[in-house]
Amino acid sequence: MIEVDMLFLDKSYEPWFVVLSLLIPILGAFSAFNITERSLTSKSYGLKITWLVFGCLTMGMSVWSMHFLAMLALRLPIPVNYDLLATLISILPAMLASGAVFWLMSKKQPKLSNVMIAGLLLGSGVGAMHHIGTVSYT
């Protein structure tokens, strides 16, 4: 394997990808919290779970797309190839963590311990997503 000193690589960013990588998670988080809020007012358990799943999918996809678009925004003077399977698998930790967070926070009066666990889970999920996503390219 050839090592490349990153100090000598000329890199630049694609501005539209940078803007999109900021706007999508902002809109996604707003939408996810709005969707998940509906679970608090749902009368049936099945409907509550349905809203939580849609909120989880929305938040997980928006966090993942932020990471992926930011990776695409960086233009390197060398070719970069992504492993499609690893890239797609990297979305799972973000979705699973979002689901756990929304489940913990969907209580009428979440306890401080729920908030702390939710933060730990979301941070761990995003960290795992980044790790899997960054090792998926060569």
Side-chain angles (χ1 to χ4, degrees), residues 122-133:
L122 189 57
S124 299
V126 170
M129 175 199 68
H130 278 282
H131 177 71
I132 294 167

Side-chain angles (χ1 to χ4, degrees), residues 31-32 35-36 49-60 102:
S31 299
I35 291 168
T36 304
I49 295 298
T50 301
W51 286 122
L52 285 173
V53 166
F54 280 119
C56 152
L57 293 173
T58 303
M59 180 68 101
F102 286 140

Side-chain angles (χ1 to χ4, degrees), residues 28-42 47-59 98-107:
F30 173 78
S31 299
F33 284 119
N34 193 359
I35 291 168
T36 304
E37 185 179 24
R38 295 171 190 232
S39 73
L40 295 174
T41 59
S42 297
L47 197 54
K48 178 178 183 159
I49 295 298
T50 301
W51 286 122
L52 285 173
V53 166
F54 280 119
C56 152
L57 293 173
T58 303
M59 180 68 101
S98 297
V101 167
F102 286 140
W103 177 256
L104 287 168
M105 299 306 293
S106 69
K107 311 299 181 206

Side-chain angles (χ1 to χ4, degrees), residues 40 104-115:
L40 295 174
L104 287 168
M105 299 306 293
S106 69
K107 311 299 181 206
K108 295 283 185 203
Q109 294 285 329
K111 299 178 197 171
L112 178 60
S113 61
N114 286 9
V115 175

